[in-house]
Amino acid sequence: MTLPPDSAAPDAPTRILDAAEAIVRRAGVTALTLEAAAREAGVSKGGLLYHFASKEALLTGLLNRMAAFVAEDFAQGLACQPPGPGQVARAMLAWGLELSQEAMNERCDRAAAVFLAAFHHDRALLDPMRAVIARMREAVAADGLAPGAGTAIMAAMDGLFMARIFGLYTLTDGERQAMRQALGHLLELAA
């Protein structure tokens, strides 16, 4: 059964958020308007406004969804690592260096669209992501490693993420492997 475009189906907010994200990825932040998001999602502007009363509410929805994804994805990665000193750092290394390049590109492209749209509109909209990262930093601080080691690993992974978001560089497979080994060695020394 196909739902009418203006249906208030349970998936309408998700369709709207997906549409907003797609617009920013395809055409940039300035192309994101409520009208464009409604059209792309297949809902009327009134249908969009029912779920997201303003552009800021739409961007807040995007950031909240991205923050929840990052928190959940990181928790799953953490659960895959053996407990003990360095568990958080090992999860960060796996998260940043062991994903396929295709999966990493998709993840970074989606995050870039959301982060840049929020940053462009109102930097305070990044607060949900700041809260997730603050919890990750707390986990790094309590990871049982020598001071600075976990932070260095987190900063390296953040740097790779930012390089991808802004198209600054992409590591070759050999560079990724060498970086993984070097940071793994740091982790061993710090445990």
Side-chain angles (χ1 to χ4, degrees), residues 63 66 110-120 126 129 161 165:
L63 256 296
M66 183 60 65
R110 290 189 69 204
V114 173
F115 293 170
L116 294 175
F119 187 82
H120 178 76
L126 290 167
M129 189 56 64
F161 179 71
I165 283 179

Side-chain angles (χ1 to χ4, degrees), residues 74 78 84-89 91-92 131-145 150-151 154:
F74 184 70
L78 190 60
Q87 179 184 21
V88 174
M92 288 185 171
V132 168
I133 292 171
R135 288 191 301 274
M136 291 169 73
R137 287 177 45 86
E138 289 169 4
V140 165
D143 201 20
L145 297 177
T151 303
M154 183 175 184

Side-chain angles (χ1 to χ4, degrees), residues 38 43-51:
V43 299
S44 67
K45 186 174 178 187
L48 181 143
L49 291 171
Y50 176 79
H51 297 288

Side-chain angles (χ1 to χ4, degrees), residues 1 9-10 14 23 29 36 76 94 96 98 101 106 109 167 176-177:
M1 173 179 158
T14 299
I23 290 166
V29 174
Q76 289 174 357
E98 294 175 9
Q101 195 63 43
E106 174 66 19
D109 289 349
R176 287 169 62 92
Q177 183 178 7

Side-chain angles (χ1 to χ4, degrees), residues 6-177:
D6 287 336
S7 170
D11 68 334
T14 299
R15 287 194 340 259
I16 294 166
L17 292 173
D18 289 346
E21 186 179 298
I23 290 166
V24 174
R25 286 178 71 178
R26 182 179 61 246
V29 174
T30 56
L32 179 61
T33 64
L34 296 178
E35 294 81 7
R39 186 172 44 257
E40 180 122 354
V43 299
S44 67
K45 186 174 178 187
L48 181 143
L49 291 171
Y50 176 79
H51 297 288
F52 302 100
S54 64
K55 185 173 181 179
E56 185 168 289
L58 179 60
L59 291 169
T60 297
L62 283 170
L63 256 296
N64 286 337
R65 180 170 80 164
M66 183 60 65
F69 168 76
V70 169
E72 180 181 322
D73 196 43
F74 184 70
Q76 289 174 357
L78 190 60
C80 292
Q81 299 299 319
Q87 179 184 21
V88 174
R90 286 190 305 276
M92 288 185 171
L93 286 175
W95 202 27
L97 291 170
E98 294 175 9
L99 280 178
S100 71
Q101 195 63 43
E102 184 178 315
M104 182 57 75
N105 289 347
E106 174 66 19
R107 177 183 287 171
C108 288
D109 289 349
R110 290 189 69 204
V114 173
F115 293 170
L116 294 175
F119 187 82
H120 178 76
H121 185 75
D122 179 358
R123 294 176 186 186
L125 293 175
L126 290 167
D127 286 347
M129 189 56 64
R130 288 184 182 105
V132 168
I133 292 171
R135 288 191 301 274
M136 291 169 73
R137 287 177 45 86
E138 289 169 4
V140 165
D143 201 20
L145 297 177
T151 303
I153 289 170
M154 183 175 184
M157 297 305 95
D158 289 344
L160 287 179
F161 179 71
M162 290 300 166
R164 173 63 186 123
I165 283 179
F166 293 108
L168 302 174
Y169 62 86
T170 300
L171 295 179
T172 65
D173 289 341
E175 290 171 325
R176 287 169 62 92
Q177 183 178 7

